[in-house]
Amino acid sequence: MKQGAQGSAVTGNPPVSQGLEARAGADGTGTGVARVPSQGRAPGVDAGRGAPAPTARGEHTHSETPIPRPRAVVQRASVRGQIVDALRTALVTGELTPGAVYSAPALGERFGVSATPVREAMQQLALEGAVEVVPNRGFRVVERGARELAELVEVRALIEVPVMLRLARTVAAERWAELRPLAEATVRAASTGCRATYAETDRTFHRAVLSLCGNEQLVQIADDLHRRAQWPLVSPARPSGRGHADLVADAAEHTALLDALIAGDVDVVRALVGEHFAGAR
């Protein structure tokens, strides 16, 4: 058990930031942000006097304020994105315990970065409904029960089922066959028993199916609902989320669904899609 800078506990499981440390803190600051070294004065400024330097013939600056060189903002955003992904993985696996409070400094120490990108990542997760802000303490992982999961699955079904049935009637078999590697990837991921790996391949397969409708807004909304439905439940019956057998059965439904779509059998597609979402509850 490791105590954070603000008194919040960090779980004793293996670090969720594996691989991040090698990319963070190369300059000794621990921020994970590569500093951009100064490479001379700003364009258009004469050394020593601060006056605009002569411009090339035909170029008129009209006393413009020199534009500063790019800073490390893009690189910091990249680190923040990596931390968001790592935290999402920790949510799916249950490493971030529902109901527990985590401080940005404590998680930053664990990731080998400063608290700032961790705090920004947690704020993103707060917008997604995964955590909630606890003033002066950090972020609490949301406790989710069976009712919320059932509601998420119901909304997903209302969006995805009609789209899949329409696509089953209109998309050529060759297009469906192109998705075979994605369905097989879910089977391989399920066989490992790793919920985080399976969660990613599962969403990838569903995104690929829905993307055939050509509605990017629909795909994004469905993917957000799908991600939220993958967080583990806080329930005596299912304290740790979906087990190995659940993942294997879910992946098998992907391949069976794809077979029916390739065959153009709408009735079988309707039955399989109904079973697929019923099993996700």
Side-chain angles (χ1 to χ4, degrees):
M1 184 71 70
K2 189 175 184 179
Q3 195 69 18
Q6 297 183 8
S8 299
V10 177
T11 61
N13 295 328
V16 300
S17 57
Q18 185 174 9
L20 284 176
E21 292 86 346
R23 297 187 292 271
D27 61 351
T29 64
T31 63
V33 179
R35 293 185 178 277
V36 178
S38 175
Q39 298 186 14
R41 60 187 180 276
V45 178
D46 195 6
R49 297 197 304 269
T55 59
R57 178 173 298 179
E59 181 180 2
H60 302 283
T61 63
H62 301 290
S63 301
E64 296 174 8
T65 302
I67 300 175
R69 292 184 180 276
R71 310 302 295 174
V73 174
V74 174
Q75 294 175 341
R76 192 178 80 178
S78 176
V79 172
R80 179 186 61 200
Q82 294 175 50
I83 295 174
V84 168
D85 291 339
L87 291 173
R88 284 173 175 163
T89 296
L91 284 168
V92 172
T93 61
E95 186 178 347
L96 291 181
T97 307
V101 177
Y102 299 88
S103 70
L107 289 175
E109 181 179 352
R110 187 173 187 174
F111 289 142
V113 299
S114 70
T116 299
V118 175
R119 189 174 292 109
E120 292 171 348
M122 280 297 210
Q123 288 170 346
Q124 173 61 39
L125 294 180
L127 293 176
E128 297 175 4
V131 300
E132 57 188 9
V133 178
V134 180
N136 302 319
R137 292 186 61 193
F139 301 85
R140 177 184 290 113
V141 179
V142 172
E143 298 180 90
R144 187 173 62 92
R147 178 175 179 176
E148 182 180 348
L149 173 61
E151 291 174 349
L152 287 169
V153 173
E154 180 180 7
V155 177
R156 282 189 63 206
L158 289 172
I159 294 175
E160 296 190 39
V161 172
V163 174
M164 288 186 180
L165 292 177
R166 174 164 57 87
L167 293 175
R169 299 185 182 93
T170 58
V171 175
E174 293 78 11
R175 294 292 304 278
W176 291 121
E178 294 173 359
L179 304 186
R180 177 73 65 184
L182 300 181
E184 293 174 347
T186 67
V187 174
R188 290 193 299 272
S191 67
T192 68
C194 176
R195 292 194 299 273
T197 302
Y198 182 75
E200 184 60 35
T201 58
D202 183 25
R203 290 202 318 277
T204 299
F205 175 77
H206 278 262
R207 280 199 306 267
V209 171
L210 294 177
S211 66
L212 294 177
C213 75
N215 188 329
E216 184 61 29
Q217 298 302 316
L218 182 147
V219 174
Q220 291 180 8
I221 292 172
D223 187 57
D224 177 65
L225 292 169
H226 195 167
R227 178 187 292 111
R228 292 169 59 189
Q230 290 173 332
W231 302 336
L233 293 175
V234 179
S235 168
R238 297 172 65 185
S240 300
R242 308 181 74 182
H244 187 189
D246 294 324
L247 302 185
V248 172
D250 197 69
E253 291 173 357
H254 289 159
T255 56
L257 175 61
L258 194 58
D259 289 339
L261 289 167
I262 292 173
D265 194 331
V266 178
D267 291 335
V268 173
V269 170
R270 182 182 292 106
L272 288 173
V273 170
E275 293 175 5
H276 191 65
F277 283 101
R281 294 178 185 272

